[in-house]
Amino acid sequence: MNIKVVRGNPTPEELAAALAVVRARAAAAAATPSGAKPPRDAWSDPSRIAAHRVPRPGPTSWTRTYWPG
């Protein structure tokens, strides 16, 4: 793995921190099975919406009835 600083003059601590992040991301990517599906985003989970609020009748209740798919 070659890393090249193209701009600036990082301190040894900054360079070590950046390298640690890059190596951790590479290790996480290598540990993930290639056939696995990526996890669904939490914002698109309908149970998240239903668990916290239930639409109640009112002039704006139609705005709370959308269920993302």
Side-chain angles (χ1 to χ4, degrees):
M1 172 187 317
N2 293 330
I3 296 181
K4 180 179 176 183
V5 177
V6 294
R7 212 180 271 176
N9 190 13
T11 64
E13 293 84 12
E14 292 171 336
L15 197 54
L19 184 58
V21 170
V22 170
R23 292 184 75 181
R25 294 285 304 225
T32 306
S34 61
K37 291 183 179 178
R40 282 184 63 171
D41 290 333
W43 68 267
S44 65
D45 186 12
S47 65
R48 178 185 65 85
I49 296 171
H52 299 293
R53 58 184 159 145
V54 176
R56 292 192 172 86
T60 61
S61 63
W62 66 271
T63 62
R64 296 185 305 263
T65 59
Y66 174 73
W67 293 91

